[in-house]
Amino acid sequence: MKIAIEGCAHGELEKIYDTIALIEKEQNYKVDLLLCCGDFQATRNEDDLHCMAIPKKFYDMCTFYKYYSGEKVAPILTIFIGGNHEASNYLQELPYGGWVAPNIYYLGYAGCVNVNGIRIAGLSGIYKGFDFFKGHFEFSPYSEDTKRSVYHIRQLEVYRLKQLSGQIDICMSHDWPRGVHKYGNEQQLLKFKPFFRDDIENNKLGSPPSHDLLMHIKPKYWFSAHLHCQFSAVVHHDDSDTDTKFLALDKCLPKRRFLQILDVDSDDGDVKLSYDLEWLTVLYATNDLLSYKNLSNYMPADSSTPTDAQKAFILEKFQNNLVVPTDFCRTVEPYNPESRKDHPSQQKAQRNPQTTTLCNLLGIDDPVSLAMHINGHELNDSTYNDSAMNNDSLMSSDSSFNTSSEVTPLKRKSLLDTLPPPNCSTPSYNPDQVDIDDDIDSSPLADQLVAVESPIRDTSGTDGMDSMLQNSTLSSSMENNDVECCADSIVPLKKKFKRRNASIYEAE
């Protein structure tokens, strides 16, 4: 399978697809899959621009809206993760992944899917130590603080990815795993990015959780973006025969190394996107660890991969069919260049039918719904009349999963059923305010990959490289542990572990 890897997309889908089409014509082969490593900028309309953490001078609709509206259809199955320049209100509608447009799939806060036998995992956002242990408390309309904290990764997603067993073929993160520069040509990197020197010398370049994840799951390939340069490395794992090939890519600009073509062994047949059964089981098993509070929320110190019995239980709920349903639907009116809004602004958060269907089927909770409920906000469903809803002609028609059939709910109780009446508002805090943009050219490519330079015209864009904070040690405690967890004929999936200083709480 020919897989195209893109660095920071910055909303330039037309240019990316045109570049791939040019490569296909020149090289006489077909690209089957496109992976984007963040800063995708899935802005549907002018309101979404106001949910992005960028200066107003960089507000630009770019071209994603054409694929959202149906004016154009993505010619290649596209899978992406989130970065730090996103229409966060839209991505929050799909915390566990989903179609943002026909043939364009978001992996969620974190996720793992299967494409013709290739197992692809991803972690959205960037690392900030002061938000890492918090819950998903943000929802639109955002403050200037939450507009940034919403794209900071959380410990929960890293913990969930660490539960995966077996071979991961590809993993994506927006920022680099910390210390990965040691496995490549560090001097060449400093030649093109001299201002990285202080972070490198102080071991602050990159994300500590992503480094831990890299060393834990040991994927064959790891792709990143964020720092606007191309950099390759090979990470050797002492306790394994597997090496991880790492590649970071640039942003979509002329004469920049933003795109790579990779040839990976895969199953034959039409390209088909499927859920990963083990990942679905992990989501179900860890639902009681989900936090919606602006407070530290620590994961258990131990971990265990799902059992065969647990996976069989989840597979039964999906009627033995893990093909991702083609259930994209629009939830807001797309941008119309001929009819612009007079006063665009952030809109109230709403639920996406894709998330509602998946949560009901799997028996898990929607983080945005929980956060809004506890803060006294009415839950909002889209009132937009989407004529494209359930229009399989816009999607690859491989899925036979029946999303319209009645689903028997799991006995696992939703957190919404256990929450007290809302009586508080979202606290505020002081995250970072500064993003740094750079436009320095990149370093040469690794021998095993093919370099592709853009033939497209210049364009303006912005991105950020947030400073990295110290790593924190995982400890074992938990909140939201009052959720009933039971299932027919199998051992409950709820985690059991010792709480730190348990004797203090014995009276409770």
PDB file of all heavy atoms in Angstrom, residues 351-385:
ATOM      1  N   ARG A 351     -23.607  18.248  20.192  1.00  0.00           N
ATOM      2  CA  ARG A 351     -23.295  16.836  20.020  1.00  0.00           C
ATOM      3  C   ARG A 351     -23.314  16.459  18.547  1.00  0.00           C
ATOM      4  O   ARG A 351     -24.116  16.983  17.773  1.00  0.00           O
ATOM      5  CB  ARG A 351     -24.290  15.979  20.801  1.00  0.00           C
ATOM      6  CG  ARG A 351     -24.108  16.051  22.300  1.00  0.00           C
ATOM      7  CD  ARG A 351     -25.144  15.239  23.041  1.00  0.00           C
ATOM      8  NE  ARG A 351     -26.470  15.830  22.961  1.00  0.00           N
ATOM      9  CZ  ARG A 351     -27.425  15.645  23.873  1.00  0.00           C
ATOM     10  NH1 ARG A 351     -27.196  14.867  24.920  1.00  0.00           N
ATOM     11  NH2 ARG A 351     -28.605  16.202  23.737  1.00  0.00           N
ATOM     12  N   ASN A 352     -22.450  15.529  18.201  1.00  0.00           N
ATOM     13  CA  ASN A 352     -22.412  15.020  16.836  1.00  0.00           C
ATOM     14  C   ASN A 352     -23.081  13.648  16.808  1.00  0.00           C
ATOM     15  O   ASN A 352     -22.780  12.796  17.646  1.00  0.00           O
ATOM     16  CB  ASN A 352     -20.955  14.919  16.368  1.00  0.00           C
ATOM     17  CG  ASN A 352     -20.839  14.654  14.885  1.00  0.00           C
ATOM     18  OD1 ASN A 352     -21.271  13.619  14.390  1.00  0.00           O
ATOM     19  ND2 ASN A 352     -20.239  15.603  14.168  1.00  0.00           N
ATOM     20  N   PRO A 353     -23.969  13.397  15.861  1.00  0.00           N
ATOM     21  CA  PRO A 353     -24.654  12.096  15.811  1.00  0.00           C
ATOM     22  C   PRO A 353     -23.700  10.913  15.743  1.00  0.00           C
ATOM     23  O   PRO A 353     -24.021   9.831  16.248  1.00  0.00           O
ATOM     24  CB  PRO A 353     -25.506  12.204  14.538  1.00  0.00           C
ATOM     25  CG  PRO A 353     -25.734  13.667  14.350  1.00  0.00           C
ATOM     26  CD  PRO A 353     -24.484  14.336  14.846  1.00  0.00           C
ATOM     27  N   GLN A 354     -22.534  11.085  15.121  1.00  0.00           N
ATOM     28  CA  GLN A 354     -21.579   9.982  15.065  1.00  0.00           C
ATOM     29  C   GLN A 354     -21.121   9.581  16.469  1.00  0.00           C
ATOM     30  O   GLN A 354     -21.030   8.396  16.801  1.00  0.00           O
ATOM     31  CB  GLN A 354     -20.351  10.379  14.243  1.00  0.00           C
ATOM     32  CG  GLN A 354     -20.624  10.641  12.779  1.00  0.00           C
ATOM     33  CD  GLN A 354     -19.359  11.025  12.047  1.00  0.00           C
ATOM     34  OE1 GLN A 354     -18.477  10.201  11.818  1.00  0.00           O
ATOM     35  NE2 GLN A 354     -19.244  12.292  11.674  1.00  0.00           N
ATOM     36  N   THR A 355     -20.839  10.591  17.301  1.00  0.00           N
ATOM     37  CA  THR A 355     -20.393  10.315  18.669  1.00  0.00           C
ATOM     38  C   THR A 355     -21.523   9.712  19.482  1.00  0.00           C
ATOM     39  O   THR A 355     -21.313   8.775  20.265  1.00  0.00           O
ATOM     40  CB  THR A 355     -19.885  11.607  19.327  1.00  0.00           C
ATOM     41  OG1 THR A 355     -18.756  12.089  18.588  1.00  0.00           O
ATOM     42  CG2 THR A 355     -19.469  11.363  20.768  1.00  0.00           C
ATOM     43  N   THR A 356     -22.723  10.229  19.320  1.00  0.00           N
ATOM     44  CA  THR A 356     -23.869   9.698  20.050  1.00  0.00           C
ATOM     45  C   THR A 356     -24.087   8.222  19.729  1.00  0.00           C
ATOM     46  O   THR A 356     -24.305   7.391  20.621  1.00  0.00           O
ATOM     47  CB  THR A 356     -25.136  10.497  19.713  1.00  0.00           C
ATOM     48  OG1 THR A 356     -24.934  11.877  20.054  1.00  0.00           O
ATOM     49  CG2 THR A 356     -26.335   9.966  20.485  1.00  0.00           C
ATOM     50  N   THR A 357     -24.004   7.877  18.439  1.00  0.00           N
ATOM     51  CA  THR A 357     -24.192   6.486  18.030  1.00  0.00           C
ATOM     52  C   THR A 357     -23.122   5.585  18.633  1.00  0.00           C
ATOM     53  O   THR A 357     -23.426   4.518  19.178  1.00  0.00           O
ATOM     54  CB  THR A 357     -24.162   6.380  16.488  1.00  0.00           C
ATOM     55  OG1 THR A 357     -25.230   7.149  15.941  1.00  0.00           O
ATOM     56  CG2 THR A 357     -24.306   4.932  16.044  1.00  0.00           C
ATOM     57  N   LEU A 358     -21.860   6.008  18.540  1.00  0.00           N
ATOM     58  CA  LEU A 358     -20.766   5.184  19.055  1.00  0.00           C
ATOM     59  C   LEU A 358     -20.849   5.042  20.568  1.00  0.00           C
ATOM     60  O   LEU A 358     -20.662   3.943  21.109  1.00  0.00           O
ATOM     61  CB  LEU A 358     -19.421   5.787  18.654  1.00  0.00           C
ATOM     62  CG  LEU A 358     -18.185   5.023  19.122  1.00  0.00           C
ATOM     63  CD1 LEU A 358     -18.150   3.623  18.507  1.00  0.00           C
ATOM     64  CD2 LEU A 358     -16.908   5.792  18.779  1.00  0.00           C
ATOM     65  N   CYS A 359     -21.133   6.129  21.269  1.00  0.00           N
ATOM     66  CA  CYS A 359     -21.215   6.077  22.741  1.00  0.00           C
ATOM     67  C   CYS A 359     -22.346   5.161  23.192  1.00  0.00           C
ATOM     68  O   CYS A 359     -22.182   4.385  24.138  1.00  0.00           O
ATOM     69  CB  CYS A 359     -21.395   7.479  23.309  1.00  0.00           C
ATOM     70  SG  CYS A 359     -19.907   8.513  23.233  1.00  0.00           S
ATOM     71  N   ASN A 360     -23.496   5.259  22.536  1.00  0.00           N
ATOM     72  CA  ASN A 360     -24.618   4.402  22.906  1.00  0.00           C
ATOM     73  C   ASN A 360     -24.329   2.934  22.628  1.00  0.00           C
ATOM     74  O   ASN A 360     -24.705   2.049  23.408  1.00  0.00           O
ATOM     75  CB  ASN A 360     -25.881   4.833  22.150  1.00  0.00           C
ATOM     76  CG  ASN A 360     -26.428   6.153  22.632  1.00  0.00           C
ATOM     77  OD1 ASN A 360     -26.093   6.607  23.723  1.00  0.00           O
ATOM     78  ND2 ASN A 360     -27.262   6.789  21.829  1.00  0.00           N
ATOM     79  N   LEU A 361     -23.673   2.681  21.519  1.00  0.00           N
ATOM     80  CA  LEU A 361     -23.367   1.310  21.146  1.00  0.00           C
ATOM     81  C   LEU A 361     -22.310   0.700  22.060  1.00  0.00           C
ATOM     82  O   LEU A 361     -22.444  -0.435  22.514  1.00  0.00           O
ATOM     83  CB  LEU A 361     -22.883   1.268  19.697  1.00  0.00           C
ATOM     84  CG  LEU A 361     -22.505  -0.095  19.115  1.00  0.00           C
ATOM     85  CD1 LEU A 361     -23.699  -1.037  19.133  1.00  0.00           C
ATOM     86  CD2 LEU A 361     -21.983   0.061  17.696  1.00  0.00           C
ATOM     87  N   LEU A 362     -21.269   1.478  22.370  1.00  0.00           N
ATOM     88  CA  LEU A 362     -20.153   0.954  23.145  1.00  0.00           C
ATOM     89  C   LEU A 362     -20.387   1.066  24.650  1.00  0.00           C
ATOM     90  O   LEU A 362     -19.804   0.335  25.438  1.00  0.00           O
ATOM     91  CB  LEU A 362     -18.875   1.701  22.749  1.00  0.00           C
ATOM     92  CG  LEU A 362     -17.536   1.154  23.222  1.00  0.00           C
ATOM     93  CD1 LEU A 362     -17.365  -0.306  22.817  1.00  0.00           C
ATOM     94  CD2 LEU A 362     -16.393   1.998  22.653  1.00  0.00           C
ATOM     95  N   GLY A 363     -21.268   1.977  25.062  1.00  0.00           N
ATOM     96  CA  GLY A 363     -21.532   2.155  26.484  1.00  0.00           C
ATOM     97  C   GLY A 363     -20.516   3.044  27.165  1.00  0.00           C
ATOM     98  O   GLY A 363     -20.053   2.755  28.268  1.00  0.00           O
ATOM     99  N   ILE A 364     -20.128   4.145  26.501  1.00  0.00           N
ATOM    100  CA  ILE A 364     -19.162   5.084  27.061  1.00  0.00           C
ATOM    101  C   ILE A 364     -19.757   6.485  27.027  1.00  0.00           C
ATOM    102  O   ILE A 364     -20.832   6.694  26.462  1.00  0.00           O
ATOM    103  CB  ILE A 364     -17.824   5.048  26.295  1.00  0.00           C
ATOM    104  CG1 ILE A 364     -18.034   5.369  24.809  1.00  0.00           C
ATOM    105  CG2 ILE A 364     -17.155   3.687  26.461  1.00  0.00           C
ATOM    106  CD1 ILE A 364     -16.746   5.407  23.998  1.00  0.00           C
ATOM    107  N   ASP A 365     -19.040   7.446  27.617  1.00  0.00           N
ATOM    108  CA  ASP A 365     -19.565   8.800  27.767  1.00  0.00           C
ATOM    109  C   ASP A 365     -18.868   9.790  26.855  1.00  0.00           C
ATOM    110  O   ASP A 365     -17.674   9.652  26.555  1.00  0.00           O
ATOM    111  CB  ASP A 365     -19.416   9.261  29.215  1.00  0.00           C
ATOM    112  CG  ASP A 365     -20.272   8.451  30.165  1.00  0.00           C
ATOM    113  OD1 ASP A 365     -21.490   8.668  30.179  1.00  0.00           O
ATOM    114  OD2 ASP A 365     -19.712   7.598  30.883  1.00  0.00           O
ATOM    115  N   ASP A 366     -19.604  10.802  26.460  1.00  0.00           N
ATOM    116  CA  ASP A 366     -19.086  11.901  25.651  1.00  0.00           C
ATOM    117  C   ASP A 366     -18.509  12.957  26.599  1.00  0.00           C
ATOM    118  O   ASP A 366     -19.241  13.545  27.391  1.00  0.00           O
ATOM    119  CB  ASP A 366     -20.221  12.490  24.813  1.00  0.00           C
ATOM    120  CG  ASP A 366     -19.783  13.681  23.982  1.00  0.00           C
ATOM    121  OD1 ASP A 366     -18.586  14.023  23.996  1.00  0.00           O
ATOM    122  OD2 ASP A 366     -20.642  14.279  23.307  1.00  0.00           O
ATOM    123  N   PRO A 367     -17.199  13.241  26.547  1.00  0.00           N
ATOM    124  CA  PRO A 367     -16.600  14.196  27.492  1.00  0.00           C
ATOM    125  C   PRO A 367     -17.231  15.577  27.450  1.00  0.00           C
ATOM    126  O   PRO A 367     -17.416  16.200  28.501  1.00  0.00           O
ATOM    127  CB  PRO A 367     -15.125  14.246  27.045  1.00  0.00           C
ATOM    128  CG  PRO A 367     -14.888  12.966  26.323  1.00  0.00           C
ATOM    129  CD  PRO A 367     -16.183  12.623  25.668  1.00  0.00           C
ATOM    130  N   VAL A 368     -17.560  16.074  26.274  1.00  0.00           N
ATOM    131  CA  VAL A 368     -18.148  17.414  26.176  1.00  0.00           C
ATOM    132  C   VAL A 368     -19.517  17.452  26.841  1.00  0.00           C
ATOM    133  O   VAL A 368     -19.861  18.405  27.549  1.00  0.00           O
ATOM    134  CB  VAL A 368     -18.241  17.863  24.708  1.00  0.00           C
ATOM    135  CG1 VAL A 368     -19.015  19.181  24.599  1.00  0.00           C
ATOM    136  CG2 VAL A 368     -16.847  18.039  24.118  1.00  0.00           C
ATOM    137  N   SER A 369     -20.316  16.418  26.631  1.00  0.00           N
ATOM    138  CA  SER A 369     -21.636  16.365  27.259  1.00  0.00           C
ATOM    139  C   SER A 369     -21.520  16.379  28.780  1.00  0.00           C
ATOM    140  O   SER A 369     -22.282  17.060  29.471  1.00  0.00           O
ATOM    141  CB  SER A 369     -22.391  15.115  26.800  1.00  0.00           C
ATOM    142  OG  SER A 369     -22.661  15.160  25.415  1.00  0.00           O
ATOM    143  N   LEU A 370     -20.541  15.629  29.308  1.00  0.00           N
ATOM    144  CA  LEU A 370     -20.332  15.606  30.755  1.00  0.00           C
ATOM    145  C   LEU A 370     -19.920  16.965  31.271  1.00  0.00           C
ATOM    146  O   LEU A 370     -20.436  17.451  32.281  1.00  0.00           O
ATOM    147  CB  LEU A 370     -19.266  14.568  31.111  1.00  0.00           C
ATOM    148  CG  LEU A 370     -19.611  13.094  30.897  1.00  0.00           C
ATOM    149  CD1 LEU A 370     -18.399  12.232  31.220  1.00  0.00           C
ATOM    150  CD2 LEU A 370     -20.789  12.689  31.762  1.00  0.00           C
ATOM    151  N   ALA A 371     -18.961  17.606  30.593  1.00  0.00           N
ATOM    152  CA  ALA A 371     -18.457  18.903  31.043  1.00  0.00           C
ATOM    153  C   ALA A 371     -19.548  19.959  31.016  1.00  0.00           C
ATOM    154  O   ALA A 371     -19.670  20.774  31.946  1.00  0.00           O
ATOM    155  CB  ALA A 371     -17.274  19.328  30.172  1.00  0.00           C
ATOM    156  N   MET A 372     -20.366  19.956  29.986  1.00  0.00           N
ATOM    157  CA  MET A 372     -21.435  20.939  29.893  1.00  0.00           C
ATOM    158  C   MET A 372     -22.506  20.683  30.951  1.00  0.00           C
ATOM    159  O   MET A 372     -23.040  21.609  31.563  1.00  0.00           O
ATOM    160  CB  MET A 372     -22.044  20.922  28.492  1.00  0.00           C
ATOM    161  CG  MET A 372     -21.096  21.404  27.410  1.00  0.00           C
ATOM    162  SD  MET A 372     -21.890  21.553  25.804  1.00  0.00           S
ATOM    163  CE  MET A 372     -22.974  22.963  26.084  1.00  0.00           C
ATOM    164  N   HIS A 373     -22.813  19.427  31.187  1.00  0.00           N
ATOM    165  CA  HIS A 373     -23.844  19.080  32.162  1.00  0.00           C
ATOM    166  C   HIS A 373     -23.447  19.535  33.557  1.00  0.00           C
ATOM    167  O   HIS A 373     -24.245  20.165  34.264  1.00  0.00           O
ATOM    168  CB  HIS A 373     -24.080  17.576  32.144  1.00  0.00           C
ATOM    169  CG  HIS A 373     -25.076  17.105  33.159  1.00  0.00           C
ATOM    170  ND1 HIS A 373     -26.435  17.080  32.916  1.00  0.00           N
ATOM    171  CD2 HIS A 373     -24.915  16.651  34.426  1.00  0.00           C
ATOM    172  CE1 HIS A 373     -27.066  16.637  33.991  1.00  0.00           C
ATOM    173  NE2 HIS A 373     -26.163  16.350  34.919  1.00  0.00           N
ATOM    174  N   ILE A 374     -22.224  19.252  33.972  1.00  0.00           N
ATOM    175  CA  ILE A 374     -21.799  19.565  35.331  1.00  0.00           C
ATOM    176  C   ILE A 374     -21.667  21.070  35.537  1.00  0.00           C
ATOM    177  O   ILE A 374     -21.754  21.568  36.652  1.00  0.00           O
ATOM    178  CB  ILE A 374     -20.470  18.848  35.671  1.00  0.00           C
ATOM    179  CG1 ILE A 374     -20.231  18.838  37.182  1.00  0.00           C
ATOM    180  CG2 ILE A 374     -19.303  19.510  34.964  1.00  0.00           C
ATOM    181  CD1 ILE A 374     -21.261  18.065  37.976  1.00  0.00           C
ATOM    182  N   ASN A 375     -21.483  21.820  34.448  1.00  0.00           N
ATOM    183  CA  ASN A 375     -21.353  23.267  34.553  1.00  0.00           C
ATOM    184  C   ASN A 375     -22.660  24.002  34.260  1.00  0.00           C
ATOM    185  O   ASN A 375     -22.664  25.218  34.084  1.00  0.00           O
ATOM    186  CB  ASN A 375     -20.249  23.764  33.624  1.00  0.00           C
ATOM    187  CG  ASN A 375     -18.870  23.443  34.148  1.00  0.00           C
ATOM    188  OD1 ASN A 375     -18.369  24.104  35.047  1.00  0.00           O
ATOM    189  ND2 ASN A 375     -18.246  22.401  33.606  1.00  0.00           N
ATOM    190  N   GLY A 376     -23.752  23.266  34.214  1.00  0.00           N
ATOM    191  CA  GLY A 376     -25.055  23.892  34.105  1.00  0.00           C
ATOM    192  C   GLY A 376     -25.427  24.378  32.727  1.00  0.00           C
ATOM    193  O   GLY A 376     -26.295  25.234  32.586  1.00  0.00           O
ATOM    194  N   HIS A 377     -24.800  23.835  31.688  1.00  0.00           N
ATOM    195  CA  HIS A 377     -25.107  24.245  30.324  1.00  0.00           C
ATOM    196  C   HIS A 377     -26.010  23.214  29.662  1.00  0.00           C
ATOM    197  O   HIS A 377     -25.802  22.013  29.799  1.00  0.00           O
ATOM    198  CB  HIS A 377     -23.825  24.406  29.508  1.00  0.00           C
ATOM    199  CG  HIS A 377     -22.972  25.541  29.960  1.00  0.00           C
ATOM    200  ND1 HIS A 377     -22.992  26.788  29.384  1.00  0.00           N
ATOM    201  CD2 HIS A 377     -22.056  25.606  30.960  1.00  0.00           C
ATOM    202  CE1 HIS A 377     -22.135  27.567  29.989  1.00  0.00           C
ATOM    203  NE2 HIS A 377     -21.549  26.879  30.953  1.00  0.00           N
ATOM    204  N   GLU A 378     -26.983  23.705  28.937  1.00  0.00           N
ATOM    205  CA  GLU A 378     -27.902  22.812  28.243  1.00  0.00           C
ATOM    206  C   GLU A 378     -27.189  22.109  27.104  1.00  0.00           C
ATOM    207  O   GLU A 378     -26.444  22.727  26.337  1.00  0.00           O
ATOM    208  CB  GLU A 378     -29.086  23.613  27.702  1.00  0.00           C
ATOM    209  CG  GLU A 378     -30.133  22.764  26.988  1.00  0.00           C
ATOM    210  CD  GLU A 378     -31.271  23.612  26.454  1.00  0.00           C
ATOM    211  OE1 GLU A 378     -31.272  24.825  26.725  1.00  0.00           O
ATOM    212  OE2 GLU A 378     -32.140  23.046  25.758  1.00  0.00           O
ATOM    213  N   LEU A 379     -27.404  20.812  26.991  1.00  0.00           N
ATOM    214  CA  LEU A 379     -26.812  20.045  25.907  1.00  0.00           C
ATOM    215  C   LEU A 379     -27.517  20.388  24.602  1.00  0.00           C
ATOM    216  O   LEU A 379     -28.743  20.463  24.545  1.00  0.00           O
ATOM    217  CB  LEU A 379     -26.922  18.553  26.197  1.00  0.00           C
ATOM    218  CG  LEU A 379     -26.217  18.084  27.465  1.00  0.00           C
ATOM    219  CD1 LEU A 379     -26.411  16.596  27.658  1.00  0.00           C
ATOM    220  CD2 LEU A 379     -24.734  18.414  27.429  1.00  0.00           C
ATOM    221  N   ASN A 380     -26.742  20.599  23.555  1.00  0.00           N
ATOM    222  CA  ASN A 380     -27.269  21.102  22.299  1.00  0.00           C
ATOM    223  C   ASN A 380     -27.062  20.094  21.187  1.00  0.00           C
ATOM    224  O   ASN A 380     -25.951  19.634  20.960  1.00  0.00           O
ATOM    225  CB  ASN A 380     -26.556  22.425  21.959  1.00  0.00           C
ATOM    226  CG  ASN A 380     -27.084  23.052  20.680  1.00  0.00           C
ATOM    227  OD1 ASN A 380     -28.260  22.928  20.378  1.00  0.00           O
ATOM    228  ND2 ASN A 380     -26.218  23.717  19.949  1.00  0.00           N
ATOM    229  N   ASP A 381     -28.133  19.750  20.497  1.00  0.00           N
ATOM    230  CA  ASP A 381     -28.031  18.931  19.297  1.00  0.00           C
ATOM    231  C   ASP A 381     -28.201  19.833  18.082  1.00  0.00           C
ATOM    232  O   ASP A 381     -28.947  20.817  18.111  1.00  0.00           O
ATOM    233  CB  ASP A 381     -29.108  17.845  19.283  1.00  0.00           C
ATOM    234  CG  ASP A 381     -28.839  16.768  20.321  1.00  0.00           C
ATOM    235  OD1 ASP A 381     -27.759  16.164  20.264  1.00  0.00           O
ATOM    236  OD2 ASP A 381     -29.713  16.544  21.181  1.00  0.00           O
ATOM    237  N   SER A 382     -27.517  19.489  17.008  1.00  0.00           N
ATOM    238  CA  SER A 382     -27.555  20.320  15.815  1.00  0.00           C
ATOM    239  C   SER A 382     -28.964  20.417  15.254  1.00  0.00           C
ATOM    240  O   SER A 382     -29.702  19.434  15.199  1.00  0.00           O
ATOM    241  CB  SER A 382     -26.609  19.748  14.755  1.00  0.00           C
ATOM    242  OG  SER A 382     -26.756  20.458  13.543  1.00  0.00           O
ATOM    243  N   THR A 383     -29.339  21.616  14.842  1.00  0.00           N
ATOM    244  CA  THR A 383     -30.622  21.822  14.176  1.00  0.00           C
ATOM    245  C   THR A 383     -30.431  22.056  12.686  1.00  0.00           C
ATOM    246  O   THR A 383     -31.380  22.345  11.971  1.00  0.00           O
ATOM    247  CB  THR A 383     -31.356  23.039  14.781  1.00  0.00           C
ATOM    248  OG1 THR A 383     -30.518  24.207  14.656  1.00  0.00           O
ATOM    249  CG2 THR A 383     -31.673  22.801  16.245  1.00  0.00           C
ATOM    250  N   TYR A 384     -29.177  21.928  12.222  1.00  0.00           N
ATOM    251  CA  TYR A 384     -28.903  22.141  10.805  1.00  0.00           C
ATOM    252  C   TYR A 384     -29.477  20.994   9.985  1.00  0.00           C
ATOM    253  O   TYR A 384     -29.258  19.825  10.289  1.00  0.00           O
ATOM    254  CB  TYR A 384     -27.400  22.252  10.565  1.00  0.00           C
ATOM    255  CG  TYR A 384     -27.024  22.385   9.108  1.00  0.00           C
ATOM    256  CD1 TYR A 384     -27.361  23.526   8.391  1.00  0.00           C
ATOM    257  CD2 TYR A 384     -26.330  21.372   8.453  1.00  0.00           C
ATOM    258  CE1 TYR A 384     -27.022  23.650   7.064  1.00  0.00           C
ATOM    259  CE2 TYR A 384     -25.987  21.490   7.121  1.00  0.00           C
ATOM    260  CZ  TYR A 384     -26.333  22.633   6.425  1.00  0.00           C
ATOM    261  OH  TYR A 384     -25.991  22.749   5.110  1.00  0.00           O
ATOM    262  N   ASN A 385     -30.215  21.315   8.956  1.00  0.00           N
ATOM    263  CA  ASN A 385     -30.825  20.306   8.093  1.00  0.00           C
ATOM    264  C   ASN A 385     -29.804  19.860   7.060  1.00  0.00           C
ATOM    265  O   ASN A 385     -29.545  20.548   6.075  1.00  0.00           O
ATOM    266  CB  ASN A 385     -32.060  20.891   7.404  1.00  0.00           C
ATOM    267  CG  ASN A 385     -32.786  19.851   6.563  1.00  0.00           C
ATOM    268  OD1 ASN A 385     -32.535  18.657   6.705  1.00  0.00           O
ATOM    269  ND2 ASN A 385     -33.671  20.312   5.695  1.00  0.00           N
TER     270      ASN A 385
END
